[in-house]
PDB file of all heavy atoms in Angstrom:
ATOM      1  N   ALA A 125      24.254 244.701 -71.225  1.00 88.00           N
ATOM      2  CA  ALA A 125      22.925 245.317 -71.167  1.00 88.00           C
ATOM      3  C   ALA A 125      23.017 246.833 -71.261  1.00 88.00           C
ATOM      4  O   ALA A 125      22.140 247.484 -71.842  1.00 88.00           O
ATOM      5  CB  ALA A 125      22.215 244.908 -69.881  1.00 88.00           C
ATOM      6  N   GLN A 126      24.069 247.422 -70.710  1.00 90.00           N
ATOM      7  CA  GLN A 126      24.227 248.865 -70.714  1.00 90.00           C
ATOM      8  C   GLN A 126      24.682 249.380 -72.075  1.00 90.00           C
ATOM      9  O   GLN A 126      24.293 250.472 -72.499  1.00 90.00           O
ATOM     10  CB  GLN A 126      25.254 249.282 -69.646  1.00 90.00           C
ATOM     11  CG  GLN A 126      25.507 250.777 -69.557  1.00 90.00           C
ATOM     12  CD  GLN A 126      24.292 251.543 -69.057  1.00 90.00           C
ATOM     13  OE1 GLN A 126      23.552 251.065 -68.214  1.00 90.00           O
ATOM     14  NE2 GLN A 126      24.084 252.735 -69.598  1.00 90.00           N
ATOM     15  N   ALA A 127      25.498 248.601 -72.782  1.00 90.00           N
ATOM     16  CA  ALA A 127      26.034 249.036 -74.071  1.00 90.00           C
ATOM     17  C   ALA A 127      24.919 249.171 -75.103  1.00 90.00           C
ATOM     18  O   ALA A 127      23.916 248.469 -75.062  1.00 90.00           O
ATOM     19  CB  ALA A 127      27.084 248.048 -74.560  1.00 90.00           C
ATOM     20  N   ASP A 128      25.102 250.085 -76.041  1.00 90.00           N
ATOM     21  CA  ASP A 128      24.121 250.272 -77.110  1.00 90.00           C
ATOM     22  C   ASP A 128      24.117 249.066 -78.051  1.00 90.00           C
ATOM     23  O   ASP A 128      23.089 248.686 -78.588  1.00 90.00           O
ATOM     24  CB  ASP A 128      24.438 251.545 -77.885  1.00 90.00           C
ATOM     25  CG  ASP A 128      24.406 252.769 -76.990  1.00 90.00           C
ATOM     26  OD1 ASP A 128      23.308 253.229 -76.650  1.00 90.00           O
ATOM     27  OD2 ASP A 128      25.484 253.252 -76.603  1.00 90.00           O
ATOM     28  N   VAL A 129      25.289 248.497 -78.263  1.00 90.00           N
ATOM     29  CA  VAL A 129      25.415 247.260 -79.039  1.00 90.00           C
ATOM     30  C   VAL A 129      26.185 246.270 -78.175  1.00 90.00           C
ATOM     31  O   VAL A 129      27.387 246.421 -77.961  1.00 90.00           O
ATOM     32  CB  VAL A 129      26.159 247.486 -80.370  1.00 90.00           C
ATOM     33  CG1 VAL A 129      26.296 246.180 -81.130  1.00 90.00           C
ATOM     34  CG2 VAL A 129      25.433 248.517 -81.218  1.00 90.00           C
ATOM     35  N   GLY A 130      25.482 245.266 -77.654  1.00 89.00           N
ATOM     36  CA  GLY A 130      26.110 244.251 -76.823  1.00 89.00           C
ATOM     37  C   GLY A 130      26.118 242.931 -77.560  1.00 89.00           C
ATOM     38  O   GLY A 130      25.061 242.351 -77.813  1.00 89.00           O
ATOM     39  N   VAL A 131      27.298 242.469 -77.951  1.00 89.00           N
ATOM     40  CA  VAL A 131      27.426 241.237 -78.721  1.00 89.00           C
ATOM     41  C   VAL A 131      27.847 240.113 -77.780  1.00 89.00           C
ATOM     42  O   VAL A 131      28.971 240.099 -77.289  1.00 89.00           O
ATOM     43  CB  VAL A 131      28.452 241.381 -79.863  1.00 89.00           C
ATOM     44  CG1 VAL A 131      28.491 240.107 -80.702  1.00 89.00           C
ATOM     45  CG2 VAL A 131      28.109 242.576 -80.735  1.00 89.00           C
ATOM     46  N   ALA A 132      26.937 239.187 -77.534  1.00 85.00           N
ATOM     47  CA  ALA A 132      27.223 238.054 -76.656  1.00 85.00           C
ATOM     48  C   ALA A 132      27.731 236.880 -77.485  1.00 85.00           C
ATOM     49  O   ALA A 132      27.270 236.651 -78.605  1.00 85.00           O
ATOM     50  CB  ALA A 132      25.971 237.644 -75.884  1.00 85.00           C
ATOM     51  N   MET A 133      28.689 236.161 -76.922  1.00 82.00           N
ATOM     52  CA  MET A 133      29.218 234.973 -77.594  1.00 82.00           C
ATOM     53  C   MET A 133      28.266 233.793 -77.371  1.00 82.00           C
ATOM     54  O   MET A 133      27.745 233.606 -76.278  1.00 82.00           O
ATOM     55  CB  MET A 133      30.598 234.619 -77.053  1.00 82.00           C
ATOM     56  CG  MET A 133      31.647 235.720 -77.186  1.00 82.00           C
ATOM     57  SD  MET A 133      32.071 236.111 -78.904  1.00 82.00           S
ATOM     58  CE  MET A 133      31.134 237.640 -79.153  1.00 82.00           C
ATOM     59  N   ASN A 134      28.058 232.992 -78.408  1.00 77.00           N
ATOM     60  CA  ASN A 134      27.187 231.831 -78.286  1.00 77.00           C
ATOM     61  C   ASN A 134      27.737 230.811 -77.293  1.00 77.00           C
ATOM     62  O   ASN A 134      26.989 230.035 -76.708  1.00 77.00           O
ATOM     63  CB  ASN A 134      26.997 231.176 -79.656  1.00 77.00           C
ATOM     64  CG  ASN A 134      25.921 230.116 -79.654  1.00 77.00           C
ATOM     65  OD1 ASN A 134      24.879 230.293 -79.028  1.00 77.00           O
ATOM     66  ND2 ASN A 134      26.163 229.010 -80.334  1.00 77.00           N
ATOM     67  N   THR A 135      29.061 230.821 -77.103  1.00 71.00           N
ATOM     68  CA  THR A 135      29.663 229.904 -76.133  1.00 71.00           C
ATOM     69  C   THR A 135      29.487 230.393 -74.706  1.00 71.00           C
ATOM     70  O   THR A 135      29.805 229.679 -73.761  1.00 71.00           O
ATOM     71  CB  THR A 135      31.172 229.761 -76.398  1.00 71.00           C
ATOM     72  OG1 THR A 135      31.778 231.065 -76.335  1.00 71.00           O
ATOM     73  CG2 THR A 135      31.440 229.150 -77.751  1.00 71.00           C
ATOM     74  N   GLY A 136      29.006 231.597 -74.541  1.00 72.00           N
ATOM     75  CA  GLY A 136      28.922 232.199 -73.217  1.00 72.00           C
ATOM     76  C   GLY A 136      27.729 231.711 -72.415  1.00 72.00           C
ATOM     77  O   GLY A 136      26.968 230.837 -72.825  1.00 72.00           O
ATOM     78  N   THR A 137      27.551 232.333 -71.274  1.00 73.00           N
ATOM     79  CA  THR A 137      26.470 231.945 -70.375  1.00 73.00           C
ATOM     80  C   THR A 137      25.131 232.471 -70.875  1.00 73.00           C
ATOM     81  O   THR A 137      25.064 233.399 -71.686  1.00 73.00           O
ATOM     82  CB  THR A 137      26.729 232.498 -68.967  1.00 73.00           C
ATOM     83  OG1 THR A 137      26.778 233.935 -69.039  1.00 73.00           O
ATOM     84  CG2 THR A 137      28.045 231.985 -68.411  1.00 73.00           C
ATOM     85  N   SER A 138      24.055 231.879 -70.374  1.00 74.00           N
ATOM     86  CA  SER A 138      22.706 232.334 -70.746  1.00 74.00           C
ATOM     87  C   SER A 138      22.495 233.784 -70.329  1.00 74.00           C
ATOM     88  O   SER A 138      21.824 234.549 -71.034  1.00 74.00           O
ATOM     89  CB  SER A 138      21.654 231.430 -70.088  1.00 74.00           C
ATOM     90  OG  SER A 138      21.775 230.108 -70.528  1.00 74.00           O
ATOM     91  N   ALA A 139      23.065 234.163 -69.198  1.00 77.00           N
ATOM     92  CA  ALA A 139      22.906 235.539 -68.722  1.00 77.00           C
ATOM     93  C   ALA A 139      23.494 236.522 -69.717  1.00 77.00           C
ATOM     94  O   ALA A 139      22.911 237.583 -69.991  1.00 77.00           O
ATOM     95  CB  ALA A 139      23.580 235.698 -67.359  1.00 77.00           C
ATOM     96  N   ALA A 140      24.655 236.195 -70.284  1.00 79.00           N
ATOM     97  CA  ALA A 140      25.286 237.081 -71.261  1.00 79.00           C
ATOM     98  C   ALA A 140      24.445 237.193 -72.518  1.00 79.00           C
ATOM     99  O   ALA A 140      24.243 238.289 -73.060  1.00 79.00           O
ATOM    100  CB  ALA A 140      26.688 236.575 -71.594  1.00 79.00           C
ATOM    101  N   LYS A 141      23.908 236.052 -72.992  1.00 80.00           N
ATOM    102  CA  LYS A 141      23.113 236.077 -74.223  1.00 80.00           C
ATOM    103  C   LYS A 141      21.790 236.811 -74.031  1.00 80.00           C
ATOM    104  O   LYS A 141      21.288 237.452 -74.955  1.00 80.00           O
ATOM    105  CB  LYS A 141      22.876 234.648 -74.714  1.00 80.00           C
ATOM    106  CG  LYS A 141      24.129 234.007 -75.301  1.00 80.00           C
ATOM    107  CD  LYS A 141      23.839 232.716 -76.040  1.00 80.00           C
ATOM    108  CE  LYS A 141      23.668 231.560 -75.116  1.00 80.00           C
ATOM    109  NZ  LYS A 141      23.605 230.262 -75.822  1.00 80.00           N
ATOM    110  N   GLU A 142      21.224 236.720 -72.841  1.00 81.00           N
ATOM    111  CA  GLU A 142      19.986 237.448 -72.570  1.00 81.00           C
ATOM    112  C   GLU A 142      20.246 238.949 -72.461  1.00 81.00           C
ATOM    113  O   GLU A 142      19.390 239.765 -72.816  1.00 81.00           O
ATOM    114  CB  GLU A 142      19.357 236.938 -71.272  1.00 81.00           C
ATOM    115  CG  GLU A 142      18.781 235.527 -71.362  1.00 81.00           C
ATOM    116  CD  GLU A 142      17.586 235.445 -72.295  1.00 81.00           C
ATOM    117  OE1 GLU A 142      16.916 236.471 -72.513  1.00 81.00           O
ATOM    118  OE2 GLU A 142      17.320 234.347 -72.815  1.00 81.00           O
ATOM    119  N   ALA A 143      21.425 239.325 -71.973  1.00 84.00           N
ATOM    120  CA  ALA A 143      21.724 240.742 -71.756  1.00 84.00           C
ATOM    121  C   ALA A 143      22.067 241.462 -73.054  1.00 84.00           C
ATOM    122  O   ALA A 143      21.757 242.640 -73.219  1.00 84.00           O
ATOM    123  CB  ALA A 143      22.876 240.892 -70.765  1.00 84.00           C
ATOM    124  N   GLY A 144      22.725 240.767 -74.001  1.00 84.00           N
ATOM    125  CA  GLY A 144      23.135 241.421 -75.245  1.00 84.00           C
ATOM    126  C   GLY A 144      21.975 241.579 -76.204  1.00 84.00           C
ATOM    127  O   GLY A 144      20.925 240.962 -76.064  1.00 84.00           O
ATOM    128  N   ASN A 145      22.174 242.421 -77.227  1.00 86.00           N
ATOM    129  CA  ASN A 145      21.158 242.546 -78.276  1.00 86.00           C
ATOM    130  C   ASN A 145      21.633 241.951 -79.601  1.00 86.00           C
ATOM    131  O   ASN A 145      21.003 242.118 -80.629  1.00 86.00           O
ATOM    132  CB  ASN A 145      20.718 244.004 -78.469  1.00 86.00           C
ATOM    133  CG  ASN A 145      21.884 244.951 -78.651  1.00 86.00           C
ATOM    134  OD1 ASN A 145      22.993 244.532 -78.985  1.00 86.00           O
ATOM    135  ND2 ASN A 145      21.638 246.227 -78.420  1.00 86.00           N
ATOM    136  N   MET A 146      22.781 241.265 -79.559  1.00 87.00           N
ATOM    137  CA  MET A 146      23.252 240.454 -80.673  1.00 87.00           C
ATOM    138  C   MET A 146      23.920 239.210 -80.099  1.00 87.00           C
ATOM    139  O   MET A 146      24.468 239.244 -79.000  1.00 87.00           O
ATOM    140  CB  MET A 146      24.262 241.206 -81.551  1.00 87.00           C
ATOM    141  CG  MET A 146      23.693 242.339 -82.371  1.00 87.00           C
ATOM    142  SD  MET A 146      24.914 242.975 -83.545  1.00 87.00           S
ATOM    143  CE  MET A 146      24.017 244.397 -84.191  1.00 87.00           C
ATOM    144  N   VAL A 147      23.872 238.119 -80.870  1.00 85.00           N
ATOM    145  CA  VAL A 147      24.547 236.888 -80.478  1.00 85.00           C
ATOM    146  C   VAL A 147      25.402 236.428 -81.651  1.00 85.00           C
ATOM    147  O   VAL A 147      24.899 236.284 -82.770  1.00 85.00           O
ATOM    148  CB  VAL A 147      23.552 235.775 -80.096  1.00 85.00           C
ATOM    149  CG1 VAL A 147      24.298 234.480 -79.778  1.00 85.00           C
ATOM    150  CG2 VAL A 147      22.698 236.201 -78.910  1.00 85.00           C
ATOM    151  N   ASP A 148      26.693 236.207 -81.394  1.00 85.00           N
ATOM    152  CA  ASP A 148      27.604 235.710 -82.415  1.00 85.00           C
ATOM    153  C   ASP A 148      27.694 234.194 -82.283  1.00 85.00           C
ATOM    154  O   ASP A 148      28.231 233.678 -81.309  1.00 85.00           O
ATOM    155  CB  ASP A 148      28.991 236.351 -82.239  1.00 85.00           C
ATOM    156  CG  ASP A 148      29.998 235.791 -83.221  1.00 85.00           C
ATOM    157  OD1 ASP A 148      29.564 235.209 -84.230  1.00 85.00           O
ATOM    158  OD2 ASP A 148      31.209 235.940 -82.979  1.00 85.00           O
ATOM    159  N   LEU A 149      27.131 233.490 -83.267  1.00 79.00           N
ATOM    160  CA  LEU A 149      27.088 232.033 -83.206  1.00 79.00           C
ATOM    161  C   LEU A 149      28.476 231.414 -83.299  1.00 79.00           C
ATOM    162  O   LEU A 149      28.704 230.299 -82.846  1.00 79.00           O
ATOM    163  CB  LEU A 149      26.203 231.483 -84.327  1.00 79.00           C
ATOM    164  CG  LEU A 149      24.748 231.962 -84.324  1.00 79.00           C
ATOM    165  CD1 LEU A 149      23.983 231.331 -85.461  1.00 79.00           C
ATOM    166  CD2 LEU A 149      24.077 231.667 -82.998  1.00 79.00           C
ATOM    167  N   ASP A 150      29.422 232.123 -83.922  1.00 77.00           N
ATOM    168  CA  ASP A 150      30.781 231.603 -84.053  1.00 77.00           C
ATOM    169  C   ASP A 150      31.643 231.917 -82.841  1.00 77.00           C
ATOM    170  O   ASP A 150      32.779 231.455 -82.753  1.00 77.00           O
ATOM    171  CB  ASP A 150      31.458 232.185 -85.297  1.00 77.00           C
ATOM    172  CG  ASP A 150      30.785 231.740 -86.582  1.00 77.00           C
ATOM    173  OD1 ASP A 150      30.219 230.627 -86.585  1.00 77.00           O
ATOM    174  OD2 ASP A 150      30.812 232.483 -87.576  1.00 77.00           O
ATOM    175  N   SER A 151      31.132 232.760 -81.949  1.00 75.00           N
ATOM    176  CA  SER A 151      31.875 233.151 -80.741  1.00 75.00           C
ATOM    177  C   SER A 151      33.260 233.692 -81.094  1.00 75.00           C
ATOM    178  O   SER A 151      34.266 233.317 -80.497  1.00 75.00           O
ATOM    179  CB  SER A 151      31.993 231.953 -79.780  1.00 75.00           C
ATOM    180  OG  SER A 151      30.719 231.528 -79.383  1.00 75.00           O
ATOM    181  N   ASP A 152      33.289 234.591 -82.054  1.00 76.00           N
ATOM    182  CA  ASP A 152      34.540 235.224 -82.490  1.00 76.00           C
ATOM    183  C   ASP A 152      34.501 236.691 -82.075  1.00 76.00           C
ATOM    184  O   ASP A 152      33.824 237.498 -82.715  1.00 76.00           O
ATOM    185  CB  ASP A 152      34.682 235.098 -84.007  1.00 76.00           C
ATOM    186  CG  ASP A 152      35.927 235.794 -84.536  1.00 76.00           C
ATOM    187  OD1 ASP A 152      36.749 236.245 -83.712  1.00 76.00           O
ATOM    188  OD2 ASP A 152      36.076 235.876 -85.769  1.00 76.00           O
ATOM    189  N   PRO A 153      35.220 237.076 -81.024  1.00 73.00           N
ATOM    190  CA  PRO A 153      35.128 238.459 -80.532  1.00 73.00           C
ATOM    191  C   PRO A 153      35.548 239.509 -81.550  1.00 73.00           C
ATOM    192  O   PRO A 153      35.079 240.640 -81.490  1.00 73.00           O
ATOM    193  CB  PRO A 153      36.082 238.466 -79.322  1.00 73.00           C
ATOM    194  CG  PRO A 153      36.197 237.039 -78.910  1.00 73.00           C
ATOM    195  CD  PRO A 153      36.090 236.257 -80.173  1.00 73.00           C
ATOM    196  N   THR A 154      36.431 239.143 -82.493  1.00 74.00           N
ATOM    197  CA  THR A 154      36.872 240.131 -83.483  1.00 74.00           C
ATOM    198  C   THR A 154      35.750 240.504 -84.448  1.00 74.00           C
ATOM    199  O   THR A 154      35.868 241.485 -85.181  1.00 74.00           O
ATOM    200  CB  THR A 154      38.066 239.601 -84.294  1.00 74.00           C
ATOM    201  OG1 THR A 154      37.681 238.410 -84.981  1.00 74.00           O
ATOM    202  CG2 THR A 154      39.244 239.281 -83.388  1.00 74.00           C
ATOM    203  N   LYS A 155      34.670 239.734 -84.452  1.00 82.00           N
ATOM    204  CA  LYS A 155      33.582 240.007 -85.385  1.00 82.00           C
ATOM    205  C   LYS A 155      32.861 241.318 -85.060  1.00 82.00           C
ATOM    206  O   LYS A 155      32.119 241.843 -85.887  1.00 82.00           O
ATOM    207  CB  LYS A 155      32.590 238.846 -85.392  1.00 82.00           C
ATOM    208  CG  LYS A 155      31.761 238.765 -86.664  1.00 82.00           C
ATOM    209  CD  LYS A 155      30.838 237.570 -86.644  1.00 82.00           C
ATOM    210  CE  LYS A 155      31.609 236.290 -86.824  1.00 82.00           C
ATOM    211  NZ  LYS A 155      30.719 235.110 -86.891  1.00 82.00           N
ATOM    212  N   LEU A 156      33.101 241.857 -83.877  1.00 81.00           N
ATOM    213  CA  LEU A 156      32.487 243.137 -83.515  1.00 81.00           C
ATOM    214  C   LEU A 156      32.853 244.211 -84.528  1.00 81.00           C
ATOM    215  O   LEU A 156      32.034 245.082 -84.863  1.00 81.00           O
ATOM    216  CB  LEU A 156      32.937 243.550 -82.109  1.00 81.00           C
ATOM    217  CG  LEU A 156      32.403 244.884 -81.585  1.00 81.00           C
ATOM    218  CD1 LEU A 156      30.888 244.888 -81.554  1.00 81.00           C
ATOM    219  CD2 LEU A 156      32.960 245.162 -80.193  1.00 81.00           C
ATOM    220  N   ILE A 157      34.070 244.155 -85.045  1.00 82.00           N
ATOM    221  CA  ILE A 157      34.500 245.136 -86.041  1.00 82.00           C
ATOM    222  C   ILE A 157      33.678 244.974 -87.316  1.00 82.00           C
ATOM    223  O   ILE A 157      33.241 245.966 -87.917  1.00 82.00           O
ATOM    224  CB  ILE A 157      36.006 244.981 -86.326  1.00 82.00           C
ATOM    225  CG1 ILE A 157      36.805 245.214 -85.036  1.00 82.00           C
ATOM    226  CG2 ILE A 157      36.461 245.943 -87.413  1.00 82.00           C
ATOM    227  CD1 ILE A 157      38.293 244.948 -85.161  1.00 82.00           C
ATOM    228  N   GLU A 158      33.422 243.727 -87.728  1.00 85.00           N
ATOM    229  CA  GLU A 158      32.587 243.495 -88.909  1.00 85.00           C
ATOM    230  C   GLU A 158      31.166 243.970 -88.680  1.00 85.00           C
ATOM    231  O   GLU A 158      30.523 244.503 -89.593  1.00 85.00           O
ATOM    232  CB  GLU A 158      32.570 242.004 -89.257  1.00 85.00           C
ATOM    233  CG  GLU A 158      33.874 241.451 -89.778  1.00 85.00           C
ATOM    234  CD  GLU A 158      33.734 239.994 -90.169  1.00 85.00           C
ATOM    235  OE1 GLU A 158      32.811 239.669 -90.951  1.00 85.00           O
ATOM    236  OE2 GLU A 158      34.523 239.173 -89.682  1.00 85.00           O
ATOM    237  N   ILE A 159      30.654 243.776 -87.480  1.00 88.00           N
ATOM    238  CA  ILE A 159      29.287 244.192 -87.162  1.00 88.00           C
ATOM    239  C   ILE A 159      29.140 245.702 -87.325  1.00 88.00           C
ATOM    240  O   ILE A 159      28.149 246.191 -87.872  1.00 88.00           O
ATOM    241  CB  ILE A 159      28.919 243.751 -85.736  1.00 88.00           C
ATOM    242  CG1 ILE A 159      28.801 242.222 -85.672  1.00 88.00           C
ATOM    243  CG2 ILE A 159      27.624 244.401 -85.269  1.00 88.00           C
ATOM    244  CD1 ILE A 159      28.662 241.673 -84.272  1.00 88.00           C
ATOM    245  N   VAL A 160      30.136 246.442 -86.857  1.00 87.00           N
ATOM    246  CA  VAL A 160      30.109 247.897 -87.014  1.00 87.00           C
ATOM    247  C   VAL A 160      30.109 248.268 -88.492  1.00 87.00           C
ATOM    248  O   VAL A 160      29.364 249.155 -88.931  1.00 87.00           O
ATOM    249  CB  VAL A 160      31.310 248.533 -86.290  1.00 87.00           C
ATOM    250  CG1 VAL A 160      31.427 250.008 -86.629  1.00 87.00           C
ATOM    251  CG2 VAL A 160      31.172 248.359 -84.783  1.00 87.00           C
ATOM    252  N   GLU A 161      30.923 247.568 -89.282  1.00 87.00           N
ATOM    253  CA  GLU A 161      30.986 247.873 -90.712  1.00 87.00           C
ATOM    254  C   GLU A 161      29.653 247.575 -91.400  1.00 87.00           C
ATOM    255  O   GLU A 161      29.212 248.311 -92.278  1.00 87.00           O
ATOM    256  CB  GLU A 161      32.118 247.074 -91.355  1.00 87.00           C
ATOM    257  CG  GLU A 161      33.503 247.545 -90.909  1.00 87.00           C
ATOM    258  CD  GLU A 161      34.616 246.674 -91.468  1.00 87.00           C
ATOM    259  OE1 GLU A 161      34.303 245.593 -92.013  1.00 87.00           O
ATOM    260  OE2 GLU A 161      35.791 247.062 -91.340  1.00 87.00           O
ATOM    261  N   ILE A 162      28.989 246.481 -90.996  1.00 89.00           N
ATOM    262  CA  ILE A 162      27.691 246.134 -91.579  1.00 89.00           C
ATOM    263  C   ILE A 162      26.648 247.190 -91.206  1.00 89.00           C
ATOM    264  O   ILE A 162      25.817 247.586 -92.027  1.00 89.00           O
ATOM    265  CB  ILE A 162      27.250 244.736 -91.113  1.00 89.00           C
ATOM    266  CG1 ILE A 162      28.142 243.666 -91.743  1.00 89.00           C
ATOM    267  CG2 ILE A 162      25.786 244.470 -91.466  1.00 89.00           C
ATOM    268  CD1 ILE A 162      27.914 242.279 -91.202  1.00 89.00           C
ATOM    269  N   GLY A 163      26.684 247.649 -89.955  1.00 89.00           N
ATOM    270  CA  GLY A 163      25.764 248.702 -89.537  1.00 89.00           C
ATOM    271  C   GLY A 163      25.962 249.978 -90.325  1.00 89.00           C
ATOM    272  O   GLY A 163      24.998 250.626 -90.754  1.00 89.00           O
ATOM    273  N   LYS A 164      27.217 250.338 -90.528  1.00 88.00           N
ATOM    274  CA  LYS A 164      27.495 251.543 -91.314  1.00 88.00           C
ATOM    275  C   LYS A 164      27.081 251.348 -92.765  1.00 88.00           C
ATOM    276  O   LYS A 164      26.582 252.280 -93.415  1.00 88.00           O
ATOM    277  CB  LYS A 164      28.983 251.892 -91.224  1.00 88.00           C
ATOM    278  CG  LYS A 164      29.385 252.474 -89.875  1.00 88.00           C
ATOM    279  CD  LYS A 164      30.795 252.999 -89.886  1.00 88.00           C
ATOM    280  CE  LYS A 164      31.112 253.692 -88.567  1.00 88.00           C
ATOM    281  NZ  LYS A 164      30.306 254.905 -88.343  1.00 88.00           N
ATOM    282  N   GLN A 165      27.277 250.141 -93.280  1.00 89.00           N
ATOM    283  CA  GLN A 165      26.869 249.859 -94.649  1.00 89.00           C
ATOM    284  C   GLN A 165      25.357 250.016 -94.809  1.00 89.00           C
ATOM    285  O   GLN A 165      24.887 250.542 -95.822  1.00 89.00           O
ATOM    286  CB  GLN A 165      27.294 248.441 -95.037  1.00 89.00           C
ATOM    287  CG  GLN A 165      27.026 248.105 -96.494  1.00 89.00           C
ATOM    288  CD  GLN A 165      27.406 246.683 -96.825  1.00 89.00           C
ATOM    289  OE1 GLN A 165      27.299 245.788 -95.994  1.00 89.00           O
ATOM    290  NE2 GLN A 165      27.860 246.452 -98.045  1.00 89.00           N
ATOM    291  N   LEU A 166      24.601 249.589 -93.808  1.00 89.00           N
ATOM    292  CA  LEU A 166      23.145 249.746 -93.849  1.00 89.00           C
ATOM    293  C   LEU A 166      22.765 251.219 -93.930  1.00 89.00           C
ATOM    294  O   LEU A 166      21.946 251.623 -94.767  1.00 89.00           O
ATOM    295  CB  LEU A 166      22.523 249.107 -92.608  1.00 89.00           C
ATOM    296  CG  LEU A 166      21.038 249.399 -92.349  1.00 89.00           C
ATOM    297  CD1 LEU A 166      20.181 248.815 -93.458  1.00 89.00           C
ATOM    298  CD2 LEU A 166      20.605 248.863 -91.008  1.00 89.00           C
ATOM    299  N   LEU A 167      23.352 252.041 -93.062  1.00 88.00           N
ATOM    300  CA  LEU A 167      23.023 253.467 -93.049  1.00 88.00           C
ATOM    301  C   LEU A 167      23.453 254.151 -94.343  1.00 88.00           C
ATOM    302  O   LEU A 167      22.730 254.996 -94.885  1.00 88.00           O
ATOM    303  CB  LEU A 167      23.697 254.139 -91.852  1.00 88.00           C
ATOM    304  CG  LEU A 167      23.266 253.630 -90.467  1.00 88.00           C
ATOM    305  CD1 LEU A 167      24.032 254.362 -89.372  1.00 88.00           C
ATOM    306  CD2 LEU A 167      21.772 253.813 -90.266  1.00 88.00           C
ATOM    307  N   ILE A 168      24.638 253.768 -94.853  1.00 90.00           N
ATOM    308  CA  ILE A 168      25.136 254.388 -96.085  1.00 90.00           C
ATOM    309  C   ILE A 168      24.269 253.985 -97.275  1.00 90.00           C
ATOM    310  O   ILE A 168      23.968 254.816 -98.144  1.00 90.00           O
ATOM    311  CB  ILE A 168      26.606 253.981 -96.318  1.00 90.00           C
ATOM    312  CG1 ILE A 168      27.494 254.633 -95.266  1.00 90.00           C
ATOM    313  CG2 ILE A 168      27.078 254.381 -97.704  1.00 90.00           C
ATOM    314  CD1 ILE A 168      28.897 254.110 -95.252  1.00 90.00           C
ATOM    315  N   THR A 169      23.853 252.726 -97.312  1.00 91.00           N
ATOM    316  CA  THR A 169      22.996 252.266 -98.409  1.00 91.00           C
ATOM    317  C   THR A 169      21.682 253.033 -98.422  1.00 91.00           C
ATOM    318  O   THR A 169      21.221 253.481 -99.478  1.00 91.00           O
ATOM    319  CB  THR A 169      22.719 250.757 -98.271  1.00 91.00           C
ATOM    320  OG1 THR A 169      23.961 250.047 -98.267  1.00 91.00           O
ATOM    321  CG2 THR A 169      21.855 250.257 -99.412  1.00 91.00           C
ATOM    322  N   ARG A 170      21.109 253.200 -97.259  1.00 90.00           N
ATOM    323  CA  ARG A 170      19.843 253.931 -97.170  1.00 90.00           C
ATOM    324  C   ARG A 170      20.032 255.386 -97.606  1.00 90.00           C
ATOM    325  O   ARG A 170      19.224 255.938 -98.361  1.00 90.00           O
ATOM    326  CB  ARG A 170      19.314 253.869 -95.741  1.00 90.00           C
ATOM    327  CG  ARG A 170      17.937 254.488 -95.577  1.00 90.00           C
ATOM    328  CD  ARG A 170      17.523 254.436 -94.119  1.00 90.00           C
ATOM    329  NE  ARG A 170      17.379 253.051 -93.675  1.00 90.00           N
ATOM    330  CZ  ARG A 170      17.455 252.676 -92.403  1.00 90.00           C
ATOM    331  NH1 ARG A 170      17.709 253.563 -91.467  1.00 90.00           N
ATOM    332  NH2 ARG A 170      17.290 251.417 -92.078  1.00 90.00           N
TER     333      ARG A 170
END
């Protein structure tokens, strides 16, 4: 909840999914790196 980008795992608890502002359906923690790249791609494209 405190983090600017909180990625909750779909396998996690309801509390974690409610607190985050993203949910990874594959529950792959390494995907956070891809998420950052996608965010940067959005800003660069614009």
Side-chain angles (χ1 to χ4, degrees):
Q126 180 67 36
D128 300 284
V129 179
V131 184
M133 302 294 102
N134 190 40
T135 58
T137 61
S138 298
K141 288 192 280 189
E142 290 294 336
N145 51 19
M146 290 189 187
V147 176
D148 176 19
L149 301 181
D150 295 331
S151 299
D152 177 8
T154 60
K155 203 178 288 183
L156 179 59
I157 300 174
E158 291 183 52
I159 291 171
V160 171
E161 291 175 349
I162 290 172
K164 287 189 174 295
Q165 185 182 33
L166 169 64
L167 298 179
I168 291 170
T169 302
R170 185 183 296 157

